[in-house]
Amino acid sequence: MSTYEKRHDPPGVNSRSLSVAHTAADLEVLREIENVYFSSPSEFDAARYVLSHAPSPPTCEAVELMFTKLKRQQQVVSGKALHLISQQRDNCDREFTEIQNIRQQLAKTLDICRKAREHLSIASNNLTISTFVILANVRKRQIIKSILKSLELLQSLRSVEKDVAELLNKKEYYSAIELIQKSRKAAAKHKEYTCIADLSIRLNDTLDMTEEKLDSVLANICYNFDEDVFKKLKKAYDLLGKTQAAMEQLHMHYSSAVNESAIDAMKPYTNSNDMKFQDICGQINPNKAPNCLLNLCEKLFLVMRSYYLLVDWHNKYYDEEIKSNNVFDIERNVSKEYIRQKLKAGLIRIWNDVQAKVSTFLKSSGLEDYPFEKFIQMLGILRKLTQVAEIFCGDKSDLLQDFIKTQSVSYIKNYHKGRMDELKLFLENEGWEQCPVKSTFNLLNLQEFKQFKKYLNPKMDQSLNKTSTQSETNDTTSSIHSQDDSLYIARYFKYKTTHTPFEIFRNENITNDDIFGIETELEPSDDSEDEPDELKRDYVDDDKVPFDKITNNKDSVIVTNTTLSVLRNCGQYLQIIRYLPQISLEVIMLMNQLFDYYFYAVHLFFTSDLEVASSTLYTSKLTSTLKRISNNINSNQDESKNFVLSPELPQHLDMNSEATLHGLSERIVAVESVIFLAKQFELLQPYLETIVAQHQKMILEHFKDNTLAVATDLRMPIYMCSAAKAVDARSSLIAMSQVKWDVKNVAVEHSPYVDMIVRKIQVFALRLENISTKVSLNRDVLNSIWSMVSKFIVHLLVEGFSNATKCTNGGRGLMQLDYRQLFVKLEKISGLKPIPYQDYVDRYVKAYYLPRKGLEEFVQERIEYSNKHLLALVTCACENKRDRQALTAIIEGRELSQ
């Protein structure tokens, strides 16, 4: 290996020195040597020190051990010293070589000086003095020219500050930087002058001040991007060689701009100054919060638009520069890809800053105290903000959407609690009088559902189904609306304007359709379907409406003020769903709770005086629905959830007067309003199914089939409360007990009790006719009422017939004559053809004629009759004691099995 090749190795290193210097054991020995051994020999006597520290007692083994240790330490120290000397050997050689080179150069310099002196000596002997004078003058002339040039430079340098200031005022940033740099180069060549050296320092200060000015202009770009200004700034920073640094600084300015804009947006709504943004948000009045949020979004949008225009300009600038072959442009494009990626990442970062500010405001502004209208306005603003974000950076705003969802669910539940309390109050104080509405009235006539006409109109659904399925239509419509919104918002980004997409919320006449963008009407609106003026009020003044003008239309609509209140609340809830489809199921469940509570309260109020057995009045679905609602109310009373306390029975309702058929008009209005409300909920179902997830549709179907569908079942128990009092059951049974059922001959005249019952029915019919002047009684209502009268009478007849202790064939014929005569009269009075439930009596009377086997099958299969009725039947029908005992045992066994 050559000497040159060895230069790459550490100087003075060989295998021996390495083994000596770098052995771990040697290093350990060096660490064990006491520091005093490294003292100067004049100050330290090593031998005496060792003797003074000799082992005690001085045994041979200890002395020998000590000697071995000292010898080992001496060897290590010697090796280390040798290693250090070896390391410095090459350095010493290099320094010595350098000294030799310097010696040679000095010798050459000395020879040159000697020759120069010899030449000068020759010149002084041969040249005249005048020649030297000329040379001296030429030298002076050169010096004076140099001085004049320096003075001119000095004069120009002194005006640099003024010229730079003028250029900056003209926004000629590149020229200002260029002038400073040229002046600095010129000053650097003449540092020998004290004044220019001082001026150079001032030029540096001017450059710093100019950069600060550039930074100030750069900061203003964050609020209002100006393409021309930014071009000049970028050119100036390119000249400074600080393009990347400027871009880093620009991003910091944008972050500061977001914070400052947020604080500026808060200032008009609070008197506090010099506070953190979060603290300021906590002092905003809830009534002012939506306007404050609007102002905040507008301010932040200006920053976002400025950055968007910056990125858009840079993308165009990049495309233009990529084609350039200029050397300077190529050098300037070295960092452009980095800047482009930086700008792209900045979109997300700035949007995250905006999201954080808006989220902080919403957390601190007392969202639960917002009035509903303000809350809806806030949702519209936030929806617009998420659309802006999608155009700005393509972000779906999951963070903000999740926060809005959480806060909105909390608000809606709290709002719903208030509506439930309000509904409880309304129900407890409701007069249950019919509101005057036209026969075609439905929820689409209410102002709250105006924006949903195109989705809920049955005619619309039919026209849509001819061309495509409902889900396809919704997807297409949603896509079109999304595209319209994107184009609408993109205009505010791409065009230089002082307007923002949030200005729409400053219009006092704004509608929800305006908020959602331009939506084409699927069919012309019908002015005749608009909400009547009476319904635009919160309550309808019943005293001012003449009830005698309400006709008994078969399609008449029976609603109450409370019914309208529930529908209006549902309309408000649908508005929330439209803004926040991701929580649609939660809101729909709250709507269903409104119906459940109304349904439950009507049943509770108007069946409290039910005096007959309810087993045949309640369907299985109705029973399970009432049980479910009751369990929900009772289970949530202690947990303070969505349900309120069970409503208390109203004291202002008179349900004991025979003249009013025990409050039948109120019962009719209550039941039919529930049925009408159920129909309106069914009208909403197709629309609701389009906005919930596929797996959630089963919940809607279950509610429709098991709650809405059983609304009509309420008619039976509630109408029975009045129907059961149409006939005096006690008097009728006493009258029936006075009839002799053991007659031998078949009677040709019906019994007196039949006339008594008929007179009661006639009185009932007259009073029912009086009720029809107050309530629109359509055929369904009348049939339901008379069906309950019929049901009560047939049970009354069976009860009276079962009280007969003795009954002959003639008596059985009399029974048939009585009930058939009674049903003929009832059919004429009620208009029901045929009279329902008469088979209940007919089967019972005919059972007296059954043979032994047939009678046994009857008592086993007919569970609708009570054991009392069956025992009376067996007692009268069976003359054989053994058969009678056997059938009695069967009946008693059936009772035990139940």
Side-chain angles (χ1 to χ4, degrees):
M1 182 181 294
S2 65
T3 304
Y4 177 77
E5 292 174 343
K6 290 182 179 180
R7 293 292 183 183
H8 297 285
D9 295 332
V13 176
N14 53 45
S15 59
R16 178 181 178 185
S17 62
L18 284 175
S19 61
V20 173
H22 299 292
T23 303
D26 291 350
L27 294 175
E28 186 63 29
V29 171
L30 286 173
R31 292 191 187 97
E32 294 176 356
I33 300 176
E34 299 180 37
N35 292 335
V36 295
Y37 286 105
F38 297 101
S39 302
S40 174
S42 60
E43 300 175 357
F44 174 70
D45 189 346
R48 186 175 298 279
Y49 179 80
V50 170
L51 291 175
S52 64
H53 289 77
S56 180
T59 60
C60 293
E61 292 80 2
V63 172
E64 186 173 345
L65 181 61
M66 181 179 179
F67 174 76
T68 303
K69 179 179 178 182
L70 292 172
K71 186 174 181 181
R72 173 60 177 161
Q73 289 177 350
Q74 182 186 16
Q75 291 175 349
V76 172
V77 170
S78 300
K80 181 62 176 178
L82 179 62
H83 173 66
L84 293 175
I85 292 171
S86 299
Q87 279 186 324
Q88 298 301 323
R89 183 180 62 189
D90 288 349
N91 292 337
C92 181
D93 292 342
R94 284 196 296 271
E95 291 296 329
F96 185 76
T97 302
E98 188 66 24
I99 291 172
Q100 292 296 329
N101 291 335
I102 293 172
R103 181 177 295 175
Q104 293 175 2
Q105 291 175 3
L106 288 174
K108 291 181 180 179
T109 303
L110 182 62
D111 183 58
I112 292 172
C113 290
R114 188 179 295 111
K115 290 181 179 179
R117 287 180 179 179
E118 290 178 354
H119 290 301
L120 286 173
S121 177
I122 295 171
S124 63
N125 294 330
N126 297 327
L127 293 177
T128 61
I129 295 176
S130 59
T131 304
F132 285 103
V133 173
I134 294 173
L135 292 174
N137 290 335
V138 171
R139 181 172 178 274
K140 289 179 181 180
R141 180 183 174 186
Q142 291 177 341
I143 293 173
I144 292 172
K145 282 184 176 181
S146 176
I147 293 172
L148 289 173
K149 187 176 181 181
S150 298
L151 290 173
E152 291 175 357
L153 174 63
L154 182 60
Q155 184 180 8
S156 62
L157 292 177
R158 290 187 62 185
S159 63
V160 167
E161 294 183 23
K162 182 179 178 181
D163 295 339
V164 168
E166 292 178 355
L167 289 172
L168 291 177
N169 289 333
K170 296 178 181 179
K171 297 183 180 180
E172 298 294 336
Y173 308 116
Y174 180 85
S175 299
I177 298 296
E178 187 177 37
L179 177 59
I180 294 174
Q181 288 185 342
K182 287 181 179 179
S183 300
R184 290 179 64 194
K185 289 180 181 179
K189 294 180 181 179
H190 299 82
K191 287 185 178 180
E192 65 275 11
Y193 301 108
T194 305
C195 60
I196 292 182
D198 295 338
L199 189 58
S200 179
I201 297 174
R202 293 181 61 182
L203 287 173
N204 289 333
D205 295 338
T206 303
L207 182 60
D208 293 338
M209 292 175 61
T210 303
E211 290 186 13
E212 291 178 2
K213 176 65 177 178
L214 293 180
D215 189 66
S216 176
V217 177
L218 193 66
N220 291 331
I221 288 290
C222 299
Y223 301 95
N224 186 16
F225 180 81
D226 190 316
E227 182 176 338
D228 295 333
V229 173
F230 188 75
K231 282 182 180 179
K232 295 178 180 180
L233 283 174
K234 188 176 186 304
K235 190 176 180 182
Y237 277 113
D238 287 343
L239 183 59
L240 287 170
K242 295 183 177 181
T243 305
Q244 290 188 22
M247 196 56 61
E248 296 284 351
Q249 188 67 21
L250 182 59
H251 280 83
M252 293 176 62
H253 286 317
Y254 270 105
S255 296
S256 299
V258 170
N259 185 62
E260 291 175 3
S261 297
I263 294 176
D264 288 343
M266 300 289 107
K267 286 182 178 179
Y269 302 93
T270 180
N271 297 324
S272 303
N273 294 319
D274 300 330
M275 295 180 64
K276 293 182 179 179
F277 177 76
Q278 184 174 359
D279 297 333
I280 295 176
C281 292
Q283 297 186 359
I284 301 298
N285 189 311
N287 291 327
K288 298 180 180 179
N291 291 334
C292 187
L293 175 64
L294 175 58
N295 198 34
L296 175 64
C297 291
E298 285 183 330
K299 293 283 188 182
L300 295 178
F301 173 77
L302 295 177
V303 178
M304 295 171 67
R305 180 173 63 188
S306 174
Y307 193 85
Y308 184 90
L309 293 174
L310 168 67
V311 175
D312 187 61
W313 177 87
H314 194 273
N315 289 336
K316 295 178 182 177
Y317 174 79
Y318 177 86
D319 294 337
E320 291 175 359
E321 286 189 335
I322 201 68
K323 302 173 184 178
S324 177
N325 295 320
N326 186 280
V327 175
F328 178 74
D329 289 337
I330 293 174
E331 293 177 355
R332 186 176 58 181
N333 290 342
V334 172
S335 61
K336 67 185 174 184
E337 187 61 30
Y338 167 80
I339 294 174
R340 187 177 187 181
Q341 294 299 325
K342 186 74 174 178
L343 289 171
K344 184 178 180 181
L347 290 168
I348 297 297
R349 192 181 73 174
I350 289 177
W351 168 236
N352 289 336
D353 291 344
V354 171
Q355 281 192 102
K357 293 298 181 185
V358 175
S359 299
T360 300
F361 172 80
L362 295 175
K363 289 178 182 177
S364 307
S365 60
L367 186 65
E368 64 279 0
D369 298 327
Y370 281 22
F372 183 80
E373 295 75 14
K374 300 292 185 182
F375 176 73
I376 288 294
Q377 183 182 358
M378 182 212 68
L379 290 184
I381 295 171
L382 294 177
R383 181 180 184 273
K384 191 70 69 177
L385 182 62
T386 56
Q387 291 174 341
V388 166
E390 193 165 355
I391 299 297
F392 180 68
C393 60
D395 187 62
K396 297 297 183 181
S397 310
D398 293 335
L399 178 65
L400 184 60
Q401 292 279 16
D402 291 342
F403 176 79
I404 295 173
K405 177 181 177 181
T406 303
Q407 294 294 312
S408 297
V409 169
S410 176
Y411 174 87
I412 293 165
K413 287 184 177 180
N414 183 63
Y415 180 77
H416 177 69
K417 181 64 166 59
R419 302 291 69 73
M420 293 295 291
D421 291 335
E422 184 182 84
L423 178 58
K424 178 177 182 294
L425 181 64
F426 284 1
L427 289 169
E428 292 174 348
N429 295 277
E430 175 63 60
W432 302 106
E433 296 181 352
Q434 182 180 3
C435 287
V437 295
K438 54 189 177 182
S439 60
T440 57
F441 172 77
N442 60 23
L443 55 80
L444 295 178
N445 296 113
L446 295 173
Q447 184 68 28
E448 287 77 5
F449 291 91
K450 181 180 179 181
Q451 58 182 297
F452 298 99
K453 281 188 177 182
K454 61 178 68 67
Y455 308 114
L456 302 179
N457 195 329
K459 296 179 182 178
M460 201 73 61
D461 294 339
Q462 295 175 4
S463 64
L464 293 176
N465 289 333
K466 292 179 181 179
T467 56
S468 62
T469 62
Q470 192 171 16
S471 60
E472 291 173 346
T473 303
N474 289 333
D475 293 341
T476 304
T477 304
S478 176
S479 176
I480 294 173
H481 293 165
S482 178
Q483 293 175 5
D484 290 342
D485 289 340
S486 299
L487 295 174
Y488 168 74
I489 294 174
R491 291 185 304 171
Y492 290 94
F493 276 108
K494 295 185 178 180
Y495 301 107
K496 189 174 182 181
T497 175
T498 58
H499 300 286
T500 72
F502 299 96
E503 288 182 350
I504 189 173
F505 295 97
R506 296 197 179 277
N507 184 0
E508 295 180 355
N509 298 322
I510 184 176
T511 65
N512 286 325
D513 286 336
D514 296 328
I515 294 174
F516 278 86
I518 302 172
E519 297 184 356
T520 56
E521 293 286 347
L522 299 181
E523 70 173 10
S525 60
D526 185 4
D527 294 336
S528 64
E529 296 296 323
D530 289 342
E531 180 183 12
D533 293 337
E534 298 92 333
L535 295 180
K536 293 180 181 178
R537 300 192 297 268
D538 291 336
Y539 298 94
V540 177
D541 190 355
D542 298 332
D543 295 337
K544 296 182 180 180
V545 181
F547 284 102
D548 56 353
K549 294 184 180 180
I550 302 175
T551 61
N552 295 336
N553 193 311
K554 64 178 181 179
D555 297 323
S556 62
V557 174
I558 299 178
V559 295
T560 66
N561 279 317
T562 305
T563 311
L564 299 178
S565 176
V566 171
L567 288 175
R568 286 191 171 107
N569 288 332
C570 291
Q572 293 176 336
Y573 287 10
L574 284 181
Q575 293 178 34
I576 297 174
I577 293 175
R578 196 175 181 193
Y579 284 110
L580 296 170
Q582 62 268 36
I583 64 170
S584 56
L585 183 62
E586 290 92 332
V587 179
I588 292 172
M589 298 302 292
L590 299 182
M591 291 171 52
N592 293 346
Q593 286 178 11
L594 291 172
F595 179 85
D596 284 346
Y597 196 80
Y598 191 97
F599 182 95
Y600 178 81
V602 168
H603 174 268
L604 179 67
F605 292 168
F606 296 101
T607 60
S608 59
D609 58 342
L610 183 62
E611 297 177 353
V612 301
S614 61
S615 58
T616 60
L617 299 175
Y618 288 83
T619 63
S620 58
K621 283 188 176 182
L622 177 59
T623 302
S624 62
T625 298
L626 291 171
K627 184 177 180 180
R628 173 184 63 81
I629 300 173
S630 178
N631 291 338
N632 288 337
I633 293 176
N634 295 328
S635 64
N636 286 289
Q637 286 181 6
D638 297 333
E639 301 176 10
S640 299
K641 292 185 180 179
N642 295 323
F643 268 99
V644 293
L645 297 175
S646 178
E648 299 179 1
L649 293 177
Q651 302 298 321
H652 64 280
L653 295 180
D654 182 12
M655 293 188 290
N656 297 318
S657 174
E658 292 184 3
T660 62
L661 296 182
H662 302 276
L664 181 57
S665 65
E666 288 83 358
R667 298 179 198 271
I668 292 172
V669 172
V671 174
E672 299 307 316
S673 66
V674 172
I675 295 173
F676 173 80
L677 190 60
K679 290 179 180 178
Q680 305 313 298
F681 270 72
E682 289 178 357
L683 182 61
L684 292 174
Q685 293 302 302
Y687 173 68
L688 298 180
E689 289 178 359
T690 63
I691 59 179
V692 299
Q694 185 67 31
H695 66 280
Q696 297 173 341
K697 292 183 179 180
M698 294 181 60
I699 300 175
L700 301 182
E701 293 175 358
H702 184 271
F703 181 76
K704 178 181 178 181
D705 296 338
N706 294 278
T707 302
L708 299 179
V710 300
T712 55
D713 295 343
L714 277 179
R715 284 171 171 165
M716 293 180 67
I718 293 179
Y719 290 162
M720 180 57 80
C721 293
S722 292
K725 299 179 180 67
V727 178
D728 188 347
R730 184 173 178 276
S731 300
S732 299
L733 291 175
I734 291 174
M736 292 179 70
S737 67
Q738 296 175 354
V739 178
K740 295 182 179 181
W741 304 110
D742 55 350
V743 295
K744 295 181 180 180
N745 299 321
V746 178
V748 294
E749 292 288 339
H750 57 267
S751 302
Y753 74 88
V754 174
D755 294 330
M756 183 182 69
I757 294 176
V758 169
R759 284 195 297 272
K760 290 291 186 181
I761 295 173
Q762 289 173 338
V763 172
F764 183 88
L766 290 174
R767 291 172 177 169
L768 184 60
E769 185 176 353
N770 292 334
I771 291 174
S772 67
T773 62
K774 297 181 180 180
V775 182
S776 300
L777 302 181
N778 57 42
R779 179 46 56 185
D780 290 338
V781 175
L782 291 173
N783 289 345
S784 299
I785 295 172
W786 284 114
S787 293
M788 291 301 99
V789 173
S790 173
K791 187 176 182 66
F792 177 76
I793 289 176
V794 298
H795 280 271
L796 180 65
L797 291 176
V798 171
E799 180 66 21
F801 293 157
S802 68
N803 290 332
T805 56
K806 295 181 180 180
C807 183
T808 61
N809 289 334
R812 293 162 191 151
L814 180 59
M815 289 180 182
Q816 289 180 321
L817 176 63
D818 288 346
Y819 79 74
R820 285 177 179 171
Q821 182 66 23
L822 182 59
F823 288 149
V824 169
K825 296 290 185 181
L826 181 59
E827 186 176 286
K828 291 181 179 180
I829 296 172
S830 65
L832 285 178
K833 293 183 180 180
I835 294 296
Y837 307 113
Q838 58 180 308
D839 289 345
Y840 185 77
V841 182
D842 190 58
R843 281 195 302 267
Y844 186 79
V845 174
K846 288 181 179 180
Y848 283 98
Y849 301 98
L850 293 174
R852 165 70 176 77
K853 186 176 180 180
L855 190 59
E856 181 178 351
E857 293 176 354
F858 184 89
V859 298
Q860 288 178 337
E861 296 175 358
R862 294 299 174 182
I863 60 175
E864 65 267 27
Y865 299 100
S866 67
N867 290 344
K868 173 182 176 297
H869 297 160
L870 295 177
L871 288 173
L873 175 65
V874 170
T875 301
C876 295
C878 290
E879 297 180 356
N880 189 310
K881 183 177 180 181
R882 182 176 297 177
D883 291 342
R884 188 165 60 249
Q885 289 177 345
L887 293 174
T888 301
I890 292 174
I891 295 171
E892 292 175 350
R894 189 183 74 163
E895 182 178 4
L896 293 175
S897 64
Q898 293 176 352

